[in-house]
Amino acid sequence: GDYKGEIAKSFTIMPRDLSGAEVSVASRQTYTGWTVEPAPTVRLGNLELNRGSDYIVSYSNNVNVGTAQVIVSGTGNYSGSTTGSFEIVGAPSSGGGSDSAPSVTPPNGAAQPAADGVPMHRLYNPNSGEHFYTASTVERDMLSSVGWSYEGVGWVAPEGSAEPVYRLYNAFAGDHHYTTSAGERDALVAVGWSDEGVGWYSDEARGVPLFRQYNPYAQVGTHNYTTSKDENDMLVSVGWNAEGIGWYGVA
């Protein structure tokens, strides 16, 4: 023929949306006094997805008796998010009419509420990707009313200590940062961040570590803090930098 050779054309494979996925989780969980985090099964059509490589998991309203949510967010070849729910029910009585909960060991990464301490609320902005942490129920409720997802109590802070955690805000990026380092605080203020004072305190007894990770590819929500070693390791496996322990909650 009159023609030879070949022509190459490129095309983009877009991530598959998880909004139509089916999230299954054990429907009844027993109240323990700390966060309840049952592992979900996620299916999209006939395909069962893998946690960590296909999706990550967060939870909301998963401490007290009532309806809790598990939020599945796509990663890797998947995008978007979907939710499932489960019931947290009262612990069975231990005999003799007692309503006390059974003695059990908290799961890895769970922040057990203490008799003396400040519950720290964790929220997520699905539009910016930022996690936000606050002791204020007013601030929690206000953010929830404007579209933030409430993910429950992340940990319990001491009522006071010699180790404050400073809270800063970048008005240009719309991002918050938290640190126990006065030097890091001052360096950020010097380049335009607003010092919002002491957000909470770190436990001097080093009870529950809050692991800190950094996303070098993000402009907002660049840092994440979690009591869950599993969450820390999963984020590191997909490109976040492990930055050690940010501060401590009470045990």
Side-chain angles (χ1 to χ4, degrees):
D2 296 329
Y3 302 98
K4 293 182 178 180
E6 55 186 42
I7 297 175
K9 294 281 288 184
S10 62
F11 59 93
T12 301
I13 300 176
M14 302 298 293
R16 189 173 177 182
D17 189 5
L18 279 186
S19 59
E22 177 186 352
V23 179
S24 301
V25 66
S27 60
R28 290 170 65 85
Q29 303 287 326
T30 301
Y31 171 79
T32 62
W34 49 79
T35 52
V36 179
E37 300 183 351
T41 298
V42 181
R43 299 190 69 88
L44 191 55
N46 295 324
L47 183 64
E48 182 172 331
L49 306 187
N50 296 312
R51 183 172 180 171
S53 58
D54 297 330
Y55 64 89
I56 59 176
V57 179
S58 58
Y59 299 84
S60 66
N61 301 321
N62 61 323
V63 175
N64 296 318
V65 169
T67 302
Q69 288 76 43
V70 52
I71 302 99
V72 174
S73 302
T75 189
N77 292 321
Y78 298 88
S79 64
S81 63
T82 189
T83 62
S85 64
F86 57 94
E87 293 296 320
I88 299 176
V89 299
S93 65
S94 57
S98 172
D99 292 328
S100 61
S103 176
V104 293
T105 302
N108 178 43
Q112 181 179 357
D116 297 316
V118 179
M120 295 301 306
H121 305 289
R122 170 170 154 159
L123 300 103
Y124 175 69
N125 187 330
N127 298 310
S128 69
E130 179 189 8
H131 277 97
F132 182 74
Y133 314 89
T134 179
S136 168
T137 56
V138 173
E139 194 167 32
R140 175 201 65 189
D141 294 344
M142 183 275 294
L143 291 174
S144 295
S145 72
V146 296
W148 288 67
S149 299
Y150 179 51
E151 296 187 336
V153 175
W155 75 98
V156 177
E159 295 181 357
S161 79
E163 298 179 357
V165 179
Y166 305 107
R167 171 172 144 174
L168 301 106
Y169 178 65
N170 185 331
F172 301 102
D175 197 14
H176 282 87
H177 185 64
Y178 316 90
T179 180
T180 58
S181 169
E184 185 177 19
R185 175 201 61 191
D186 295 344
L188 291 175
V189 169
V191 295
W193 289 66
S194 298
D195 181 2
E196 295 190 334
V198 175
W200 55 87
Y201 293 90
S202 179
D203 180 27
E204 294 175 84
R206 303 292 189 266
V208 177
L210 269 291
F211 302 103
R212 170 173 155 168
Q213 309 88 40
Y214 172 69
N215 186 341
Y217 307 104
Q219 298 298 316
V220 179
T222 54
H223 284 88
N224 184 63
Y225 309 85
T226 178
T227 61
S228 171
K229 188 64 164 58
D230 289 342
E231 183 180 2
N232 174 86
D233 294 347
M234 183 279 298
L235 290 175
V236 171
S237 74
V238 296
W240 292 63
N241 296 334
E243 293 193 332
I245 295 171
W247 58 84
Y248 292 86
V250 296

